[in-house]
Every structure is written in structure tokens, then in C-alpha cells.
Amino acid sequence: MRAGLTTERVVRAGAELADEVGFDRVTVSEVARRFDVKVASLYSHVKSSQDLKIRIALFALEELAERAADALAGRAGKDALAAYANAYRDYAREHPGRADAARTRLDPETAAASAGVRHSQMTRAILRGYDLAEPDQTHAVRLLGGVFQGYVSLEMSGSFSHSAPDPEVSWARVLDALDALLRNWPTDPARRP
Amino acid sequence: MRAGLTTERVVRAGAELADEVGFDRVTVSEVARRFDVKVASLYSHVKSSQDLKIRIALFALEELAERAADALAGRAGKDALAAYANAYRDYAREHPGRADAARTRLDPETAAASAGVRHSQMTRAILRGYDLAEPDQTHAVRLLGGVFQGYVSLEMSGSFSHSAPDPEVSWARVLDALDALLRNWPTDPARRP
DNA sequence: TGCATTTGCCTAAACTCTTTAGGCAAAATA
DNA sequence: TATTTTGCCTAAAGAGTTTAGGCAAATGCA
């Protein structure tokens, strides 16, 4: 009897392992154990431990992009903003390991070929509901990317856990604030007459 | 001849190593090599590899808090906001490994005893230059924490590198935007009559 | 159905890092 | 100078990574 390993299945198992024990504790050995297979067998499907982790990151980025796209469908303005932001946050709550993986630094070529590109496209799509011309649109894309990544990461780390107000409320108010900011984006003081 | 190891010196060397090779590649073995000492010798000064990493994180948090406090001295309003934000960003540029370390998730007790506390106090101090009552002040502290952490992390990862506009410009405009947001913080729609 | 080929998982082994236990010599103390 | 303490060492076991080569199960072809 063979285990029926494929790169796909190995990466999926790695993603599940990440959610259970943390992305930084994912090892090829443990994945092998879960398939009840010897470690060496995995090396036909992933090049290295590093390669496995990169693949998990790419997988998470894809999965998250899919969810975000679904959430975004048919929405505009603040609705779209909240849908995207919630997709991001909910994903991190359901799949903390994968969400950490999605934050992994990828080398430029890998990143350019990843679903990360779709993420910034979606962010840009959200901004169509607001009146932002270039280059402010790009500034806003970067700001939003930073906020989602940073806020969710902080919340997941428990930084907000044991103090009022409820993180749930803060999140809602942060979305209000971002919406307000995008509606009243300040003009560049350097260009003001 | 003895090497003169102390926990302090070991942690410092670990921080330097982190800046050179990345925080995730810090090993007790490599630090030992740099002191030209056998690995086992380090275990009188740090409890474990994990312990070393936590200490590096705490060290980075302290160092960053010190810099931020200096930058903040005598400033208020947007000046203070920019000073704090730049202290954070400059630190990440000078010490990428330590900055990564500072983003490490700490368990609640450790976090509560860390300089992380001072960081949120400083953020709160910055907000005194804006007219924000509780609970909005806390929401804003969380938002700012998220932005700084997330934006700088994204920028360090090279996400903004190879596309216009200049990240330097984006950063300035993001600070403009945050300042504008704090000056015009939206009232809670749930409480609007 | 029988045979050949391919494929997939295995054994073996080298290397690195982590961590503990106990020893010995260099500092510190008296 | 003698003694205690301290600090770094040797030794060794355990776990993860990675490569090379082997054998049997699946697949394909007659």
C-alpha cells in the first residue's frame, strides 16, 4: 500500500499542521509522521523544509484571495472595505498558522507570481468606491495593506485581549475610521498652493 | 583565558546575528561560534534556544522604546506622531532582525513586563495632541500600533520596492493621512442620535 | 494474463542544532 | 598560598534535514 503523496497533499497537511502548532513549528518530519511515511519520502514532493514553508505561504495567499474575492463580489464603498477586511480577519481567526504563513517574506519573483498580486488588485478595486486619484490611490493601498496585516497580527497575538474595550468593537470602529479617512483623504500639503 | 560570557553579551550577539542573517535563523550554535566557545557553554546564560529568542525580542523592544522616547521628547501633535513613526521605521531599517524580533508573539505575562507596555503608553501620549476621548483613544492606539507594525513590515519585505511611487513619499503621505484621521476621528455611528 | 518499465516509498547515513550531565581548570576569596 | 567558586569544556543522546541508492508496487504494453 502506498500513501499517495503529492505536493498538493503535502502542502495541505503542512497548512493544517501550521494551524495546529504554529507556522514556525512546521517540520517535514512531522508532516511525514502524519502520512505515516518516512521523512525521506517527502523530499520527492518538496525540495526542502524551506520550500515546504514557501508553498504553504503561497497556498494560504491563494486561499485567502479566493475568500476575499467571494466576499467582495457585488459590494462597493464601505461595504466592500469591511467585507475584505473581515475576510482577512476571519481567515486569521480560523487559520492562524496559514495567516502567519501568508505574512512570510517571499523573494521578489515568487511574490510577483503569487496571489499577493491579486490582493493588491482587490484593494485597489475597493478604492474605486472612493474618490482617490494616483498617486494617492497607491498610498492608500499600502496603508490598507499595512493596517490589515498589522492590526490582525497584533490582535491574534493577544495584545488586545485582556483590556477594554472589546477587540470586536475596536475592529468595527477602526473600519469606520478607515472609511472616513478614505472619504476625506487629505490633499498633499506639498502640492497645496 | 575565559570568554567572559554574560546573558547580556549573549543576547546582544544574538541581536547582531539576527540583523545579519534574519531573526528566524538565529541559533545558539552560531552565537557560540561567534564567541569562539562551545555551544554547551551558552546554556548557563540562556535556558534554551527559545529563551534566547525571547530575550532578543525583549532587548529590541527596550532599545526601540528608548529611541522612541528620545524622538518624542518635546514634541506634540503631528510632530510627535511622525517622530514616533519614524523612530519605528528607522529602527527597522537599521536593525531588520531586531525589528522582526520585536514583533515576536510573547506570552501574556512576558508581554506585560516588557517595554511593549511603554510603547502603548507613548502612543497614548501622542494622542493627547488630538481630541480623542475614550474609548476612541484606545481604538486609535490599536489602529496606530497595527499600521506601524504592518506597514513597516510590508515595506521591509520589499512589497513596495519595485513600483512607483517612492516608498519614502508613500510613508510621508500615510503620516499625513493618519494625522488627518486623528484630527477628524469619526463619531461612532452606533451612538449617533 | 504475463512481463517490463516506471514510480514511489524505503533504508542508510551524514550533518546540524538542541539540550543535559558531569569534569576540570581558572578566577575569586580568604 | 590554599580553598572555594565559577565558567567553560567534553561527552552523549535526541530530533530535524537532506542525499544516495534500493526494492516493490503500480502502470502500461503485448
Side-chain angles (χ1 to χ4, degrees):
Chain A
M1 244 297 282
R2 285 180 181 178
L5 299 181
T6 63
T7 301
E8 173 82 19
R9 295 224 301 140
V10 169
V11 171
R12 251 200 168 70
E16 277 156 29
L17 177 58
D19 287 335
E20 291 170 33
V21 306
F23 182 58
D24 52 324
R25 284 190 199 158
V26 169
T27 67
V28 180
S29 296
E30 180 59 30
V31 174
R33 247 171 257 130
R34 298 196 166 203
F35 279 108
D36 201 25
V37 136
K38 299 294 167 180
V39 198
S41 306
L42 291 199
Y43 281 82
S44 344
H45 301 98
V46 295
K47 275 200 273 297
S48 64
S49 179
Q50 185 58 13
D51 181 51
L52 171 61
K53 289 192 172 179
I54 290 171
R55 286 176 190 275
I56 295 171
L58 293 172
F59 172 73
L61 239 23
E62 287 283 349
E63 193 173 48
L64 177 52
E66 219 166 285
R67 282 192 183 210
D70 282 356
L72 228 44
R75 297 185 200 274
K78 192 187 169 184
D79 258 17
L81 179 71
Y84 182 79
N86 282 319
Y88 197 98
R89 182 166 177 260
D90 292 345
Y91 187 71
R93 293 159 84 90
E94 282 174 52
H95 298 296
R98 303 180 198 194
D100 268 354
R103 278 180 222 115
T104 292
R105 295 195 212 306
L106 301 170
D107 66 285
E109 311 97 81
T110 311
S114 77
V117 176
R118 265 195 283 157
H119 284 279
S120 45
Q121 285 168 350
M122 283 189 275
T123 308
R124 221 166 266 278
I126 290 166
L127 292 178
R128 280 203 280 276
Y130 298 90
D131 191 30
L132 280 177
E134 286 296 5
D136 285 314
Q137 195 176 76
T138 302
H139 301 323
V141 168
R142 292 173 177 181
L143 171 59
L144 289 180
V147 177
F148 296 152
Q149 164 136 168
Y151 187 99
V152 170
S153 167
L154 274 182
E155 186 183 354
M156 282 297 100
S157 82
S159 302
F160 308 157
S161 297
H162 297 299
S163 56
D166 189 337
E168 213 62 43
V169 176
S170 274
W171 177 246
R173 294 291 290 134
V174 162
L175 293 184
D176 288 343
L178 290 174
D179 172 62
L181 174 59
L182 294 172
R183 279 188 284 101
N184 307 301
W185 190 265
T187 53
D188 191 339
R191 296 187 177 223
R192 210 153 43 193
Chain B
M1 245 295 285
R2 285 179 181 176
L5 300 181
T6 63
T7 301
E8 172 83 20
R9 296 224 300 140
V10 169
V11 172
R12 251 200 169 69
E16 278 156 29
L17 177 57
D19 287 335
E20 291 171 33
V21 306
F23 182 58
D24 53 323
R25 284 189 200 157
V26 170
T27 66
V28 180
S29 297
E30 179 59 30
V31 174
R33 248 172 256 130
R34 298 195 167 203
F35 279 110
D36 201 26
V37 136
K38 300 294 169 181
V39 201
S41 306
L42 292 199
Y43 281 83
S44 344
H45 301 98
V46 295
K47 276 199 273 294
S48 66
S49 179
Q50 185 57 13
D51 182 50
L52 171 61
K53 289 191 171 181
I54 290 170
R55 284 175 190 275
I56 295 171
L58 294 173
F59 171 74
L61 239 23
E62 286 283 351
E63 194 173 47
L64 177 52
E66 220 166 282
R67 283 191 181 211
D70 283 357
L72 227 44
R75 297 184 201 274
K78 192 187 168 184
D79 259 17
L81 178 71
Y84 183 81
N86 282 320
Y88 197 98
R89 181 164 176 261
D90 293 345
Y91 187 71
R93 293 158 83 90
E94 282 175 51
H95 298 296
R98 303 180 200 194
D100 269 352
R103 276 178 223 117
T104 292
R105 294 196 214 305
L106 301 169
D107 65 286
E109 311 97 82
T110 310
S114 78
V117 177
R118 265 194 284 158
H119 284 280
S120 45
Q121 284 168 349
M122 284 189 274
T123 307
R124 221 166 266 278
I126 291 167
L127 292 178
R128 279 203 283 274
Y130 298 90
D131 192 31
L132 280 177
E134 287 295 6
D136 285 314
Q137 195 177 78
T138 301
H139 301 322
V141 168
R142 293 172 176 181
L143 171 59
L144 289 179
V147 177
F148 296 153
Q149 165 138 166
Y151 187 99
V152 170
S153 168
L154 274 182
E155 187 183 353
M156 285 295 101
S157 82
S159 302
F160 308 158
S161 297
H162 297 299
S163 57
D166 189 337
E168 213 63 42
V169 177
S170 275
W171 177 246
R173 294 291 290 134
V174 162
L175 294 183
D176 289 342
L178 291 175
D179 173 61
L181 174 59
L182 294 172
R183 279 188 286 103
N184 306 302
W185 190 265
T187 52
D188 192 338
R191 295 184 179 226
R192 211 153 43 193

